[in-house]
Amino acid sequence: MVGELAGNYGNILLMFGFAVVAVGPALIISRMISPRKRSNPVKFLPMECGQVPKGEGRTHFMMQYYAYILMFVVFDVMAIFLYAWGGSILMLPKSATLPLIAFLGIMFAAMAFALYQSQRRNIW
Amino acid sequence: MIEMNATPLVILGVLGVAGVILPVLDVARRERFTQMYAALALGALFISIGYVGYQFVSGVIQPGAVFSTDVLANDAFGGLFAIAMLIVAVFSVTGSISYMRNQKYPAVYYSLILLSAIGMVLVAYSTDLVMLFVAWELMSIPTYVLAGFMKRNPISNEAALKYFLFGAMSSAIIVYGISMVYGLTGTTNISEVIVGLTTLDASMIPLAILAVGLFIAGFGFKMGLVPFHMWLPDTYEGAPQPITALLAAATKKAGFAATIRIVIMGMAALHLDWALALGVIAVMTMTIGNVAAIMQKNLSRMLAYSSIGHAGYILIGLAVAPYSATGLQGSLYHVLNHAVMKGAAFIAISGVVVALAVTHLDKIKGLGRRMPITALGLTISLLALAGVPPLNGFWSKLMLFGAALDSGSVVWWGPWLAIAAVLNSALSLAYYGWIMRKMYFEGEDAKRVREPKSVIAVMIFSIIFMVGLGVYPDPVIQFVEIATPTFTIP
Amino acid sequence: MADAVFLALSVLTVGSAIAALEMRSLIYGSIALMGSLGGVAGFFFLLDAPFVALFQLAVYVGSIAVLILFTVMLVRRELIFKKIEDKRRKMAGIGLMLVFLVSVGALIMSSGIHQLESDSPPIDFREIGEDFLVYYWPALVVMALILSGAVTGALVLARREVENGSN
Amino acid sequence: MALIEFVLVSVALLGIGIYGLAVKRNAIRMLFAVEIIINAANLNLVAFSRYVDDSGGQTLALFSIAIAAAEVAVGLALVVVAYRMYKDVDIANFRSLRG
Amino acid sequence: MGTATGIIKALNSGVKHLARKRFTLRYPEQKLKFVGDGYRYDPVTGVGVAGLKGRHMLFHDHCTGCQLCSIACEGVAEAIAMVKVPETHKQNKKSIMPQIDYGKCVFCGLCVDACPFYALYMSNDYELSSFTKEGLIYTPAQLQVKPHVSQDAEIKITDRGATHG
Amino acid sequence: MTMSAQLPPGLQLEKVDERIMTLNVGPQHPGSGHMRIIVQIDGDYIVACDPDPGYVHRGEEKMAEYRNYITNIPHLERPVIHDSCNILYPYVLGAEELLGIEVPERAKYVRVIAAELNRCVYTLYWLAIYGIFLGHSTMFMWPSGDRELFIDLLEKLTGARVTHAYFIPGGVRNDMPANFEDVCLRQVRYFEKRIAEYSDIFYDNPILISRTANTGVLSRNDAIRLGTTGSVLRASGVDYDVRKKEPYDVYDSLDFETNVLKSGDSYARSKVPWLDMMESCRIIRDALSKMPKSGSVRTKLKPNPKGGDTSVYKRVESGRGALGCHIVSRKKPEPYRVKLSVGSFRNLIAMPYLLKGEKLGNMPSVYWSLNYWPVEADR
Amino acid sequence: MYVTTGEDEANEGEEVRLMSTPVPTAQPFLEKFPDATIISDDVDRPAILVPKEHIIDAATLAKEMGFDHAESVSGVDFPNDNQIEVVYHLGSYTNENLTKCVLALATRAPREDDPRPGQDSTRLPTLREVFYSVEFHEREIFEMFGVYFEGHPDNRRLLLPEDWADLPPMRKDFAIKGR
Amino acid sequence: MEFELLACGGRQIMSVIAPTFRLSYFLKSILDNVFWIIVLVTLVGIPAIQIVLFYIEMPVINGELLTPFLALTWLADPSRAIPIVKAFMYTDFFRIAVFPGFGLAALVAAGTIFVERKMLAKLQLRVGPFYCGKVEGILQLAGDGLKLISKEIIIPAKADKPIFWIAPVAFVGTAAAFVSLIPVAPGWVVADVELGVLAVFAVIGFFPIVTVLSAWSANSKFPFIGGIRALHQMISFEIPLILSLLGVVMLAGTMSLTGIAESQEFIPWIVFLPVGAIVFFICILAELERIPFDLPEAESEIVAGWLTEFSGMMYGLVQLGTYLKLYAFAALFTVMFLGGWSGPMLWPPFPEEIITDGIQLGPITATIPGLPLLDQAMLNGVLWFLLKTVAVIFFILLPRGVFPRIRIDMLLSLGWYKLIGLSFINIFIALALLYAGVLGPGGII
């Protein structure tokens, strides 16, 4: 029967929904009982240490560590791929570890290069 | 379980180790290493070629295309493609030595070429759709990077972006096709797929057609077949020329390798209804490619369109394969020849770019005097591409056109295919001749410039190859005959 | 119940896929893409493939979407909201899509797969692990090569060019 | 839920993806469209895997997700480079390579 | 290895302090004990007597209305104003006495130094806050009142740390 | 690139200035004092920094021209109420020279004790802020608590917790209360034990060392060239302490050392004041033992004394470095001109110099390790 | 690496204390600049008034003598002489004989009754090239007295509010309210 | 006259700055709200409940179908009410809302906040919250909650409002989804999933998205820097976090959290895999943005990081989410490395005679069917689980008093170099244990 495992995972979503429903009213109540003064436009400026904001809040920024995000995408995949092996390792023959060692070896080499690159901050 | 000394695994091991170690060497980098990287890459490639040849000579390889129950097969079909692609990779690496002299990250560059070469070889060898897809991606993803490797150059970047978008789309479409095939047969191994498709329920046939259509579309993007060719000239023009050689001469062939395997599969499913479609695509492809090539002013771009045209020629063989024994042979032969010819042509252009920094047609006046060896190589490869008799291109074209004529006994459109192909060859001679005229008969005030040594090496090798095999083509024809998969009509 | 969930998921998936392409702001587009990917993950749950579903969530939503979001944030603000509209091309695209959908839909509806039902037990994730390491192990190694090539290539591409700096 | 429903959703996603690739000229949005197509394929694979009771489809889906990650990493790096160069992500506004 | 030992040392130090006594004066319940009854000044020797510089104490029977405190304050805070008082003293013919605005006073005690007649001292009272500015102005009559303070907390130092006991 | 001839116009590589973000740190910021630092950051790196003090400028020097030598005292201590004895010290020394007053011996010792206690008060406060700038909330609370010990002592001695107004031309305002010496010794001994515990949790903490070591390095030559002073100077390896080099009052008879570190980084700059506090405790104990047990502490002054027609420049070593006072007198009860040359203002010049090229995360630690007190710099 | 003063440094310190002998510092100035005035010839606190034409040379001479930093720069307004005096208090960290000594190098700039800071004749050459440490001090003098330092790269507001439009406040003709 | 006018004017100006509190207005606002609540409840709520009751399948208890009316009558009789309670306790709603789900987590979170304040105060030799609630400031949290809820929510003018509003709620929801995976006792878990470990990774992958979106939406510099820092930090530590748990999964042979907890009934995995436990613990600290890794909120550099623009209850919700996350991570550590609920039986058995004989209430003996509500093993498990979790929480809280904040480049290099290396070492330790035959099927232990 299709969909028999979905129920268990559905509870996670239900919990998410419950939390949203349970705490969402706090915002609404807060909005209802808190004072709301619309008098001063300065009040709604973004925080800039008491100065009038200059420039854009969202700018082309923080590129020195962009390498880590690129690396994350790849190595996250690697880490979760390992779970396919680690979860079923008790069922696998011992020779099945060899391809995994090759896999890890290649990834280590890539990681060595990537870490070396991402450490050189002046190029990011 | 495939043996550990099978050709694809050995190539995977040799090139993989070299490709992975190169960036690590770059970490422990010293200034003088730049040439070393290329030497290491070349060494790995030569070892691989040697191993393939050794396997052929020792005769352990099964002839034709084998559909084993494993993910990779050790067959002659793959071996032929492997040799073709590895030769192009050697061209590309050699041509890059001068090109990469002042560029950054040569180690990564060569490593990516090696990785891409692994992918191409494994595409030819794979007998499982998953393996095919993964190898396809291993072939593609490094080339996306390589196409955009010249970051200072906006053209290279734009070419890479376009190439990436269409390439990603093509691979997405391929996965979709695989998913349809998998759904119909419940397996991804091609031999089992063939079995599954032959016993398919009649109500499922339209889906199988859809699946094979998606395959053709997906691989067609890489091969530059006509409705899917729009990215190709831009990319070939923008990418670094050694990489263009790799793209035009090798990844395209990988597309053909995959197509041939898939087409065999599709033939089982579809009972030959696709052959006419392939024929139409072939005619359209070569016509549009050659006609568009005439109008180009840029050398790279002209050759890009020309390579679209050649995809059409090769496709003829596929289209007539069920009706003519030599059709597929011709295709494979032309694949091998085209790899060398186009590779040599693009490496020659890269030499021109390195030495003179021009690709425009009007600016290569007098190239014959400025860079005689390069110009000679370019001329001979162009002539070979056009199919001028004593050169190797002639024989493969002859075989293809002959097959098309031969199939006329079964299908009515066979001869027409041959006529269109011959007309196109004549057309292509026109613009090739235009280039030669610019090179040799214009521009008097030219004096000789220094030609990059690596390009000269490639030129000499390819001239020997083209002329030699044009004069004495028998061994290659035998080789091709061994490698050609047998077509059985169920 | 399951049908209702299926319906909701398909509305979510298809709707947010359209929204991802048509939203004015690229940031909202990315969020809609996340919704679409999450909807597909939901389908995977319905199909009793929790390993794939969680892989999809962890990799697609957890890292690819983050990367897309981050890259979109690096783009100038006015570009995030800029949208190139070519009415004719759009109409043609919609027409193409409709033709495609109708024809393929008809093809599928007419084919035999709509009779397929399954009551076999769901596949254990351990079988997938076995697949990976016993049958598909060359593909796994090739996969590692892809990942390593991608990360080296992407790092080399994305780095900043320093004027006359050494490397 | 029959298989055909999943396949129909998948086809719808494929159509949307093709539409996006055909119409959009923003590199990031085209990437979105590619992702949508890959997802459609994955959905197809997993659905077939469930109905033919074979784990190969799930395995290929995992491979395809992982490859998509690698592809996106490279693609976004290309987009970043293009953005640095053109200050734009719209490939229609790039220098025209034609001609 | 040095990193690990350093981290363990720091954690150990933190955990050890969980057993220490708290070093906090719970102000409204506890008040610090001060030296003496406040700062005062001996004009004969010219030396002050140590004590808290809190709110002033004005001894009406010593004040002569000489304005010296006011003059001393002029350069500092201008907190002292001379005001008329209703009662008369024989030493204070003009019946003027200082009135101090604690909104301005900086508690420097220079006015005490200036007073040659032992009339102005400072006391231990420092809780002067008020809801209005007017409440901060202390008239001579208010200054006369001796503050009632109960200040007995002192820093006690034991083996388990210092506390305000 | 060889193809550069084909570049269409308008295309260029990314320029650095497009990546720069201007960030106002202060005045309403948890990581600035009463000042603003305009930093320009490129990603995580500061490319330029412009300190903008003046938010609490009160014109103390101008006000001093309108008040006589005595009534200036409560005013001039305002810029650094945490170190009010030390900032009055040079003024008082200068006024004594101008007015020609002799100071009793006991008063000199009392002054030294008060000044050293006050140095501890200031340094503990500074250390607390340094701790919280580095996110170490315990290092905020412990010095704040231990500071109470000294505040309590000073309150017993002077009658006020922070604004002491204790030094006066001619000595000090009042004598020590009875049993002050015992209380003082006991608390100083306790504090010496306590301060050693700081090293476990703060100064020997590997995270702190890795965070502050080798950041904001000020070399010895630069420290001299920029005219820095106090702990900044001594952390860069220059052995210069006014108490040693030009001893005032009774410092020449007391036994203490100056602490000089070589590395000149943020860590060394933060460690020197801590070591100085230990020396202060030593000075206090030494002074308490060498102090004359009885005697006057204040020379009686004439009302409204007038200075000569000269100018003096006196220096002391305060918590933030050498503190000079330039008094110009023109035979009036009021000084003609008072100029305080404060350590904070002198160290301010090092801030743009040090912060340039640092990471944004190092900004608070480098900034505060300069021993900069915004209110004092503004005066 | 992070150690307190070791024994050897302590010994050095002892030697330094013994070595430092005061030297007279005011005389060389008088020899080199005859129009300089020696205000004070004290060994520890010499004071010299140099005309503004020679101030850079005088500062260079002071630097050659061993003074390596400026401790303080104070301005004094003399409305009666119609001049503003700027006093550089120079000290030495490196020269052991001068550790006690603070040289007051004074110069005078003409004063205008109607000052327009930066545009009038109240200007002096900057000493920033000689003593880098005077940078912020000179900025302060500029805004407090209106003395423009020619060659100073950064004659900007430092302490006063950005919209200060009154007289430079430390001049004698700027009176505090109520006094 | 003029003086009076001026005074009036002055007072008006004053009143704008600090509005006077008027009890009557306050009461009026409360009454208004109460009125609207009553109206809404009667017009919307009750019909809605009716409709819901019509469609919901009511439980059958003691052979009777439970109708609302019956439930009301049963309220009067405890012996009849307990089965209802018991039936309620085995519904999904109870699990989600109260016991292993949101209620427990919120309770532990509240306790954590209190303990954190008091413990930090003790470490720093001060008192902490003291006056509110008479006993050591135990009601301080409630007071803070009231304060937050009554504060004005200020949204920056150029903010992207929908994302800005949704972000805090989504943060809490994601944290709650994380909580739902935690088993606290055998069978007592909201979502008992087979691939619990992977589900954890999937859920925590959402935190960076919420963070960076909220930071982007505020359109302000400091939140943007803070959000990007948070993003880098979270993703950098996600990989060592994932890898450090692989050893446990390999040895336990299952990915279900319940299964992992059961697999260490005798020896917790921390004995065999201490390296993985340390790596996981450090990653917890980083994922929770706690000192020494709190640089997304480094107040001396970037004010409050990505929380800068949040005000009032939005800030409160983010804090709630943070502490829920803290509980979930501590519980995950307990489950993965400390054996979850397993431990010697401490809970006293429920007296049998109450079940059989009933309770003597004065002159009457009431037999109450359905007792006990919870069995002994479960209560013991919960006790052990909570004890271990609180211990872990203590160690999570302790560094806040001991360490300074580190810098982002140090943090990234720590995560990418040291922790990933250590977690691979951990994997190889696990592999060695498995292949050497120490653990696993047929192993020594």
Side-chain angles (χ1 to χ4, degrees), chain B residues 435-453:
Chain B
I435 296 175
M436 286 172 226
R437 191 189 143 203
K438 289 268 180 198
M439 285 198 295
Y440 286 107
F441 304 113
E442 287 184 15
E444 288 76 19
D445 55 340
K447 61 175 184 275
R448 183 163 177 170
V449 297
R450 210 176 63 79
E451 296 171 73
K453 288 198 186 67

Side-chain angles (χ1 to χ4, degrees), chain E residues 28-105:
Chain E
E29 286 105 43
Q30 295 177 325
K31 284 173 189 168
L32 265 185
K33 188 178 178 185
F34 299 119
V35 174
D37 290 337
Y39 178 74
R40 44 188 79 186
Y41 179 74
D42 188 359
V44 177
T45 58
V47 178
V49 179
L52 185 77
K53 289 175 190 157
R55 190 257 282 175
H56 294 79
M57 276 274 299
L58 180 65
F59 295 94
H60 283 215
D61 45 350
H62 289 154
C63 182
T64 60
C66 65
Q67 304 188 22
L68 278 180
C69 52
S70 172
I71 291 166
C73 198
E74 217 163 76
V76 182
E78 306 178 26
I80 299 180
M82 304 307 288
V83 293
K84 269 254 188 266
V85 287
E87 68 268 31
T88 53
H89 295 280
K90 66 174 187 305
Q91 82 279 9
N92 193 343
K93 293 283 186 284
K94 287 184 278 187
S95 286
I96 52 172
M97 284 189 190
Q99 161 189 297
I100 303 181
D101 181 357
Y102 285 106
K104 294 178 181 171
C105 180

Side-chain angles (χ1 to χ4, degrees), chain B residues 428-477:
Chain B
S428 67
L429 200 53
Y431 57 84
Y432 294 146
W434 184 257
I435 296 175
M436 286 172 226
R437 191 189 143 203
K438 289 268 180 198
M439 285 198 295
Y440 286 107
F441 304 113
E442 287 184 15
E444 288 76 19
D445 55 340
K447 61 175 184 275
R448 183 163 177 170
V449 297
R450 210 176 63 79
E451 296 171 73
K453 288 198 186 67
S454 55
V455 175
I456 292 176
V458 173
M459 285 305 115
I460 290 170
F461 171 77
S462 54
I463 289 168
I464 291 170
F465 186 93
M466 286 183 282
V467 176
L469 293 183
V471 174
Y472 184 57
D474 290 351
V476 185
I477 292 175

Side-chain angles (χ1 to χ4, degrees), chain H residues 396-416:
Chain H
I396 293 175
L397 298 183
L398 186 61
R400 183 166 170 194
V402 178
F403 295 122
R405 177 186 307 125
I406 73 175
R407 221 168 42 220
I408 183 137
D409 56 329
M410 290 160 59
L411 172 117
L412 290 172
S413 72
L414 173 73
W416 281 98

